[in-house]
Amino acid sequence: MKPLSLRYMIISATLAALTLLGGAIWVLSGHSPAALSAAAPKAAKSPAAAPQSKAAQPQLPESKPLPVSEALSQRVAEYHIDVRLIPDTGTLEASETVTWTHPGLKPVQELYFHLYPNAFASEKTTFMKESGGELRGDTMPADGFGSMTITDLRTTEGVSLMQRLQHVQPDDGNVNDKTLVKVHLPQPVNGGESVTLKIRFEVKLPKIFARMGTAGNFVMAGQWFPKLSVYEPKGTRGVKEEGWNLHQYHGTSEFYSDFGIYNVTISVPSNYTVGATGFPVKSAQIKQDRKIYQFYADDVHDFAWAASPDFVVAEEAFSAPNVPGVRIKLYLDPLHKDLQERYFQAAKAALTAFSKWYGPYPYSTLSIIVPPKEGNGAGGMEYPTLVTAFGAAESSPGTSLERTVIHEIGHQYFYGMVANNEFEEAWLDESFTSYAEDRLMEQEYGVSSNIALQASLVSTSQPLNLETWKYTTPDGYTRNVYIRGKLVLKDIERQTGTKTMDAIMLAYARKFRFHHPSTGDFQKIVEKVTQKSWQAYFDQYVYSGGSPDFSVDHIKTSIAKSSAQGENGRYKFMVKVSNKGSQYADVPIKFTFSDGYTIRKIWNGGQKTANFQLTYKAPLMSVEIDPDHSILLESKHLNNFMLAELAPKTLSRWTLVSTKLLETLLGTLVW
């Protein structure tokens, strides 16, 4: 997901810079391991039919012949969905046949489904209460509510389970939140067995401000169908007991799903064009006044689609090392119809680099949706084989166009294939993708992010593996998950070297491709590649909100030899420094003397305080800790610098020098 809207970034950065510098201005630039065989389920079964009369039921989608492909994932879930868009009312009418194969060992008698559109049902839902009806700078339009209703739920034998539905709120107990529902099955499902349910549902699409909905005749269908929660076997992400991972839809949370197969038929008015996850099984068919699309995708954990009568469509075939063959498809808002080449170039650069750094792109398609300006709330979002760019607000955008496309394609790897739990450990996708984005933007476009200034924005450090809604504020979530987490990765790179960091990232991406890793899994990879323990580091900077806070505390000057004015003599200096925050080793310190001579020393950081003794022929003018701002995890820099107390004549003599030094220092803090 895109980290911040431009307006949000400007406002937040300005406030942060004012706080830190008393009026400074912020300008922020901003297969694989052996393939898993498809889990061969035991004889598929449905819950036992309870004795009751069955009314005639409407036909629901059955399993259809699907393309044969090598299984890259466990394929826990299989969805067959037929959906009909009714644009006049902004609704979806759909039916779903879903099969779940139990990946654990213990018998299970409940299934859980996410009903994400219910986040927009009223102002009392958990999402709306936490977000205030705003996300990434976009605000909910007037009367923009939406919802999902399950109208029928049955076994394959036609037994109704509607009376067995129960909305649950495991995170906050909010009875007005209906984004998670439990279905009690008539009989348990044992490990390795499968169960199939048939669902009918309707979605009243909200007006777009948060990822999904409608904006005029543009439709973004993301998180639009009843989607199974993840059942975690013992050992997955380090869990000690197998069970369901259950969370509501929160103001700052995203998603977590199991890999599977999707076969989706989409019916839209005949003048609409549809872009979707996966690839079309056949050409779109016109039936009366409707256009019927059928898409298929496997080894993905979600399915999204967009539709509009205004799309300008372009398509190119692309291949590169580790990218055997991909059709890149653009669905452009007309305002960006002349920017096709920029979108294609950004997508090709991202696929080429990320496939080299993190493993081959395994899918045959990649679709890029460019929403209209009024649909910007759906922009900057990632789905399997489909991403959205920012809304088309101007005909000649800056490199934010490329940055957004690159960031979202980065998510095809982190969260797309390396499928972490975004509810609980969002930094494993957002920080990792931001890290990759920065590197590629500099490599391809020569655009460097102002990392030192971004570090200063993290005014409150919090653990990186918090559940997203437990950060103190939305700002706290953004600045830790997007910025501080990225800085942790860059700091590990600083300590290990770029070559070793590349090996770490590739080893992590390969090992957990089509799996659900945890922060602890990443730590183990770091330790395996570097052959040393990183426990203390992770304890301080990942599992807690650690941050160093270096300070120059005191400078004492004395004359080494007898001399009235110190001329022809030598000066002795005692400098006390400290770290008022988390421990950090190898801290550079710069000593500047009145004749322009400088000395650099390294403080090992083993103790909270340290004293440095120096002798030199000229007075000491200043001391600065981390003069190059290379230690990215420190956010408070004002106490890193101190001017020495000079004699009046010397002070007057070197006023100009000190002034220039301060200008230089402040310049580095404000770029």
Side-chain angles (χ1 to χ4, degrees):
M1 185 185 83
K2 66 182 179 182
L4 298 163
S5 69
L6 181 59
R7 181 179 65 181
Y8 180 85
M9 291 172 70
I10 293 174
I11 293 172
S12 300
T14 301
L15 291 174
L18 286 170
T19 301
L20 292 168
L21 301 173
I25 300 173
W26 177 37
V27 182
L28 182 58
S29 61
H31 86 47
S32 64
L36 292 173
S37 299
K42 300 176 185 177
K45 70 172 190 176
S46 293
Q52 65 180 69
S53 60
K54 294 190 291 183
Q57 298 303 319
Q59 185 176 359
L60 290 167
E62 299 292 345
S63 296
K64 303 174 183 179
L66 299 172
V68 177
S69 64
E70 179 186 7
L72 307 179
S73 68
Q74 194 174 358
R75 297 184 178 179
V76 171
E78 182 173 332
Y79 295 86
H80 298 266
I81 308 175
D82 287 345
V83 57
R84 178 184 178 92
L85 168 66
I86 306 175
D88 292 343
T89 58
T91 58
L92 303 177
E93 295 179 349
S95 56
E96 171 180 320
T97 297
V98 56
T99 298
W100 178 72
T101 300
H102 188 347
L105 301 175
K106 298 180 179 179
V108 168
Q109 199 157 358
E110 290 87 23
L111 297 185
Y112 291 84
F113 290 87
H114 294 285
L115 311 182
Y116 288 116
N118 283 335
F120 313 108
S122 75
E123 295 177 347
K124 296 179 180 181
T125 69
T126 295
F127 181 95
M128 292 295 288
K129 290 172 66 176
E130 292 178 353
S131 69
E134 184 174 339
L135 187 68
R136 305 179 301 184
D138 294 294
T139 303
M140 182 176 181
D143 194 28
F145 296 106
S147 62
M148 171 184 281
T149 303
I150 293 179
T151 58
D152 195 58
L153 174 64
R154 297 182 179 270
T155 70
T156 53
E157 291 82 10
V159 178
S160 175
L161 303 179
M162 290 295 290
Q163 74 282 5
R164 294 171 176 263
L165 286 174
Q166 178 187 354
H167 293 102
V168 293
Q169 303 84 21
D171 297 328
D172 63 2
N174 178 10
V175 295
N176 296 300
D177 188 86
K178 298 181 179 181
T179 58
L180 187 64
V181 68
K182 178 174 70 173
V183 182
H184 186 74
L185 303 174
Q187 69 181 49
V189 183
N190 296 313
E193 294 180 340
S194 298
V195 59
T196 299
L197 299 180
K198 293 176 175 288
I199 307 171
R200 282 192 174 274
F201 64 96
E202 295 179 355
V203 176
K204 174 65 176 72
L205 292 165
K207 294 180 180 179
I208 293 176
F209 80 98
R211 305 185 180 98
M212 70 167 295
T214 64
N217 56 20
F218 171 77
V219 175
M220 185 67 231
Q223 313 302 331
W224 57 280
F225 59 95
K227 186 163 59 171
L228 285 161
S229 298
V230 177
Y231 188 92
E232 297 181 322
K234 181 179 179 181
T236 302
R237 298 190 314 111
V239 300
K240 296 181 179 180
E241 295 292 335
E242 68 175 75
W244 292 101
N245 186 270
L246 303 173
H247 296 296
Q248 300 155 239
Y249 194 4
H250 291 269
T252 51
S253 72
E254 293 191 41
F255 314 103
Y256 182 39
S257 305
D258 260 321
F259 290 97
I261 293 172
Y262 289 83
N263 181 41
V264 182
T265 301
I266 304 169
S267 171
V268 295
S270 59
N271 62 328
Y272 273 64
T273 298
V274 172
T277 290
F279 60 88
V281 174
K282 55 186 176 182
S283 299
Q285 305 293 308
I286 301 294
K287 295 184 179 180
Q288 297 179 346
D289 61 343
R290 307 288 294 183
K291 188 184 293 186
I292 314 298
Y293 291 83
Q294 185 180 356
F295 291 91
Y296 172 83
D298 52 27
D299 301 308
V300 298
H301 50 62
D302 199 2
F303 186 100
W305 56 279
S308 172
D310 300 326
F311 280 146
V312 176
V313 182
E315 182 175 329
E316 285 190 11
F318 175 68
S319 63
N322 298 304
V323 187
V326 178
R327 300 204 70 82
I328 304 174
K329 304 176 182 180
L330 302 181
Y331 299 85
L332 301 163
D333 179 82
L335 186 61
H336 280 194
K337 62 183 175 62
D338 295 327
L339 300 177
Q340 295 180 16
E341 191 56 35
R342 288 180 62 181
Y343 282 102
F344 279 126
Q345 287 180 355
K348 292 172 183 177
L351 286 172
T352 300
F354 296 155
S355 292
K356 176 183 178 182
W357 299 342
Y358 311 126
Y361 183 77
Y363 307 112
S364 62
T365 60
L366 174 66
S367 296
I368 303 171
I369 309 295
V370 182
K373 177 182 179 180
E374 58 272 22
N376 188 57
M381 190 60 198
E382 70 278 359
Y383 306 92
T385 78
L386 182 149
V387 301
T388 62
F390 63 76
E394 52 184 321
S395 59
S396 299
T399 55
S400 55
L401 182 156
E402 286 81 6
R403 182 176 289 278
T404 302
V405 171
I406 285 170
H407 182 91
E408 304 311 332
I409 292 177
H411 278 304
Q412 296 299 305
Y413 299 81
F414 298 109
Y415 183 62
M417 287 177 272
V418 183
N420 67 285
N421 184 336
E422 290 187 306
F423 289 115
E424 299 179 8
E425 297 177 288
W427 88 287
L428 289 176
D429 58 285
E430 296 298 353
S431 299
F432 283 57
T433 298
S434 296
Y435 171 87
E437 166 208 322
D438 278 2
R439 179 179 179 182
L440 188 56
M441 284 299 296
E442 184 166 6
Q443 172 181 297
E444 291 295 320
Y445 300 98
V447 177
S448 300
S449 292
N450 190 327
I451 300 301
L453 183 55
Q454 290 183 24
S456 69
L457 298 176
V458 187
S459 54
T460 302
S461 295
Q462 294 181 263
L464 295 177
N465 60 336
L466 276 182
E467 291 94 335
T468 63
W469 58 96
K470 293 185 179 179
Y471 286 95
T472 51
T473 62
D475 277 3
Y477 163 75
T478 300
R479 296 183 183 187
N480 280 276
V481 167
Y482 285 86
I483 298 177
R484 197 172 81 83
K486 174 180 68 176
L487 298 179
V488 165
L489 295 178
K490 288 183 177 289
D491 190 62
I492 295 173
E493 179 185 341
R494 172 181 176 269
Q495 297 186 51
T496 64
T498 301
K499 185 177 180 180
T500 299
M501 188 62 179
D502 287 349
I504 289 170
M505 297 293 283
L506 180 57
Y508 172 69
R510 281 178 170 171
K511 182 174 178 60
F512 295 103
R513 191 177 177 90
F514 301 107
H515 289 76
H516 302 304
S518 68
T519 300
D521 292 321
F522 176 65
Q523 179 187 336
K524 291 175 183 176
I525 293 294
V526 176
E527 293 176 336
K528 182 177 181 180
V529 173
T530 61
Q531 308 244 315
K532 71 173 188 177
S533 173
W534 284 75
Q535 189 63 52
Y537 183 90
F538 272 70
D539 284 343
Q540 289 187 95
Y541 296 111
V542 177
Y543 304 128
S544 63
S547 175
D549 179 12
F550 306 118
S551 172
V552 183
D553 298 328
H554 183 67
I555 302 173
K556 181 180 179 181
T557 304
S558 61
I559 306 298
K561 293 184 179 180
S562 177
S563 175
Q565 300 299 326
E567 297 176 2
N568 300 319
R570 295 183 69 83
Y571 297 82
K572 293 179 65 177
F573 311 98
M574 177 70 75
V575 179
K576 181 182 178 181
V577 298
S578 64
N579 181 357
K580 304 179 185 301
S582 301
Q583 183 177 357
Y584 197 95
D586 299 329
V587 183
I589 305 177
K590 180 181 178 181
F591 304 86
T592 302
F593 297 91
S594 59
D595 62 356
Y597 180 68
T598 62
I599 296 176
R600 287 181 178 249
K601 290 183 176 290
I602 298 296
W603 172 27
N604 63 21
Q607 302 295 326
K608 282 292 185 180
T609 63
N611 293 306
F612 290 87
Q613 297 184 27
L614 301 92
T615 302
Y616 189 65
K617 64 182 181 181
L620 179 65
M621 189 171 71
S622 65
V623 179
E624 184 177 5
I625 302 177
D626 188 26
D628 301 318
H629 301 291
S630 60
I631 301 176
L632 302 175
L633 300 180
E634 184 185 23
S635 60
K636 302 174 183 178
H637 295 98
L638 290 181
N639 58 350
N640 288 27
F641 179 84
M642 179 178 284
L643 284 171
E645 293 184 6
L646 303 180
K649 288 185 178 180
T650 307
L651 182 60
S652 176
R653 180 179 177 185
W654 297 105
T655 296
L656 180 61
V657 176
S658 62
T659 299
K660 296 300 292 182
L661 179 66
L662 279 171
E663 289 175 350
T664 301
L665 172 66
L666 291 175
T668 61
L669 290 175
V670 194
W671 13 286

